[in-house]
Amino acid sequence: DKEFNQTVKTIILSGKNKTNTGKKLFYGVISLIIILMLGILDLSSNPNLSLLIFYLLPLFICTWYLGEWAGVFIATFSMFIWYMDDFFASLKYSHPLIPYWNLILRYLFFIFVSYIIHKLRLALEISRELSRTDYLTGAMNGRFFKEYIDEEIKRAKRYEHIFALAYMDIDNFKLINDRHGHSAGDRFLIDIIQTIRSMLRETDVVARLGGDEFAICFPETNEKQVHVAMERIRKKLSTMIKKMKYPVTFSIGVLICINSNYLADDMLKMVDQLMYSVKKRGKNNIKYKVICGVS
């Protein structure tokens, strides 16, 4: 599936390490210290005793937390320390090229291990992202969105913040599939998500909950602010639809939550009912409701 492959590609390209700068510096310094300590231990120990396995620890740390190029650097630094150990130990070999041959083999082994570690981390990131991402649009999926809303409810209650939850449905979406084909319908859904995202703050989250149903969470957003935000989104979507000449509109329900003890499922049901009340009254409109505490 083309869109699925594009989603995976996006995850790979955007799958940058999320470790903050302080932790990165810590991991880097610790790895260098471990290698230096191993070098000292290697130099003072029996030359027939190999400490190769212990060098894999800093290699793993740097590759996993700092990225593949950090792994290459650590591999190179480890080989440098290893070479200096051999040099100062004045080891005797049957042939002068043997130490260089051993060094090259060890270096290639470290690079290979670093590559495997990097691929495992990348596979884990892809698996994690796909488990919470809608395969078509790249938006958050319904299952993970519920978990997100539950966490937002707890956070809003803890810090006494207001947040808003919007539920959107595309009116007459079936007509696009019937007249232009399912590929056009899929492309339209992707365009909607991209348009909505372009109007949101970094802290706002959009999710695809069903075929043509979407939800948006606005953390720390009061009634006045969500009115402004939704009107801007609605206007932008209307402009896009006019250009495409599609016979669709949007029915939208919005909950403003103040100190709410509801669970995510309850809130999604309430905002879904708001959206359907708009549909029953002629579609193409927005209905707002403020909830406070538990009914």
Side-chain angles (χ1 to χ4, degrees):
D1 186 270
K2 183 177 179 181
E3 297 299 341
F4 180 80
N5 291 336
Q6 183 62 40
T7 300
V8 173
K9 183 178 179 182
T10 301
I11 292 170
I12 293 174
L13 292 175
S14 63
K16 298 178 180 178
N17 200 291
K18 297 178 179 62
T19 309
N20 62 44
T21 303
K23 286 186 177 180
K24 285 183 178 181
L25 181 61
F26 172 77
Y27 290 134
V29 171
I30 286 295
S31 297
L32 293 176
I33 290 174
I34 292 174
I35 293 172
L36 290 173
M37 291 177 64
L38 286 171
I40 295 171
L41 184 61
D42 217 354
L43 185 61
S44 60
S45 65
N46 189 325
N48 295 318
L49 180 64
S50 176
L51 299 179
L52 172 67
I53 190 69
F54 298 105
Y55 282 88
L56 295 179
L57 175 59
L59 182 69
F60 175 85
I61 292 173
C62 276
T63 305
W64 188 267
Y65 292 105
L66 307 183
E68 57 183 325
W69 288 111
V72 172
F73 172 78
I74 287 296
T76 305
F77 184 67
S78 297
M79 292 307 100
F80 172 75
I81 295 297
W82 216 323
Y83 175 78
M84 296 305 294
D85 282 346
D86 279 2
F87 178 80
F88 286 112
S90 300
L91 298 177
K92 302 297 182 181
Y93 294 94
S94 59
H95 193 283
L97 292 181
I98 289 179
Y100 299 104
W101 173 255
N102 289 342
L103 193 69
I104 291 172
L105 288 182
R106 289 166 179 170
Y107 184 65
L108 291 177
F109 172 70
F110 271 42
I111 292 297
F112 175 74
V113 171
S114 177
Y115 174 79
I116 295 299
I117 294 170
H118 171 68
K119 288 299 181 181
L120 285 174
R121 174 64 188 264
L122 188 59
L124 180 63
E125 286 295 321
I126 291 174
S127 176
R128 183 180 297 141
E129 288 298 321
L130 290 180
S131 70
R132 56 190 182 189
T133 303
D134 174 56
Y135 80 96
L136 176 65
T137 64
M140 190 179 288
N141 62 29
R143 182 186 63 81
F144 190 70
F145 187 69
K146 289 180 182 179
E147 296 176 10
Y148 177 86
I149 294 300
D150 275 328
E151 289 302 316
E152 183 59 31
I153 292 170
K154 295 175 185 176
R155 195 180 71 87
K157 187 174 179 61
R158 184 183 305 120
Y159 298 107
E160 298 183 352
H161 290 164
I162 300 173
F163 75 96
L165 181 63
Y167 201 110
M168 305 174 59
D169 181 82
I170 306 174
D171 303 320
N172 307 316
F173 176 71
K174 189 174 181 297
L175 292 176
I176 297 178
N177 289 330
D178 292 342
R179 296 178 184 179
H180 304 279
H182 288 279
S183 60
D186 289 346
R187 182 68 253 176
F188 181 59
L189 294 174
I190 295 170
D191 290 339
I192 287 175
I193 287 295
Q194 291 177 345
T195 301
I196 292 174
R197 277 180 171 162
S198 69
M199 306 298 291
L200 298 179
R201 306 166 299 180
E202 289 187 4
T203 53
D204 301 330
V205 173
V206 59
R208 183 186 179 202
L209 303 185
D212 59 344
E213 296 180 348
F214 305 91
I216 308 171
C217 180
F218 299 92
E220 300 181 33
T221 303
N222 59 34
E223 186 173 2
K224 182 178 179 181
Q225 291 169 331
V226 77
H227 270 269
V228 173
M230 290 307 302
E231 288 301 330
R232 288 176 65 243
I233 291 172
R234 188 183 178 199
K235 183 177 180 181
K236 186 79 172 180
L237 289 173
S238 297
T239 301
M240 182 189 79
I241 291 169
K242 287 179 181 178
K243 289 181 180 179
M244 293 179 170
K245 297 181 179 179
Y246 284 159
V248 298
T249 54
F250 293 90
S251 295
I252 306 170
V254 181
L255 279 181
I256 298 90
C257 312
I258 305 173
N259 193 30
S260 172
N261 290 321
Y262 287 101
L263 296 176
D265 282 331
D266 298 325
M267 295 188 66
L268 286 170
K269 287 178 183 178
M270 283 188 285
V271 74
D272 184 32
Q273 290 171 358
L274 276 178
M275 181 271 294
Y276 270 105
S277 69
V278 173
K279 276 189 171 294
K280 291 177 181 178
R281 296 180 182 180
K283 305 178 181 180
N284 192 28
N285 208 342
I286 305 178
K287 186 174 182 180
Y288 296 88
K289 181 180 180 180
V290 178
I291 59 173
C292 182
V294 180
S295 59

